[in-house]
Amino acid sequence: MGQPISEARKAQFLLRAESRLNFARNLPVGDPTRDDKIRAAEKAVQTAHASKTGPARKARKKSGR
């Protein structure tokens, strides 16, 4: 699917997704978009957990032609 990401990058994604989920859960019950935001945040957490990890990629050196 996609390129592997580093463990640090995966941790950042997971932290952001969990923050999103906490924010969505703290919205008032009467908010019409609350359920959609919670579903999207839960999907983001699942995606962060499922991300492949691998060695960090090095940037390619550009030639000065």
Side-chain angles (χ1 to χ4, degrees), residues 3-7 52-58:
Q3 295 291 330
I5 59 173
S6 68
E7 289 286 337
K52 298 187 289 185
T53 57
R57 291 178 26 184
K58 293 183 180 177

Side-chain angles (χ1 to χ4, degrees), residues 2-61:
Q3 295 291 330
I5 59 173
S6 68
E7 289 286 337
R9 191 78 173 140
K10 182 175 180 174
Q12 285 178 342
F13 285 144
L14 190 55
L15 185 64
R16 272 192 232 149
E18 288 172 349
S19 297
R20 243 176 104 181
L21 184 58
N22 288 334
F23 175 79
R25 285 183 177 160
N26 287 328
L27 288 172
V29 178
D31 189 350
T33 61
R34 181 177 189 259
D35 293 334
D36 292 335
K37 287 182 181 182
I38 289 174
R39 264 188 249 114
E42 287 172 344
K43 184 171 173 69
V45 169
Q46 289 176 349
T47 302
H49 277 294
S51 296
K52 298 187 289 185
T53 57
R57 291 178 26 184
K58 293 183 180 177
R60 283 198 225 169
K61 192 174 186 181

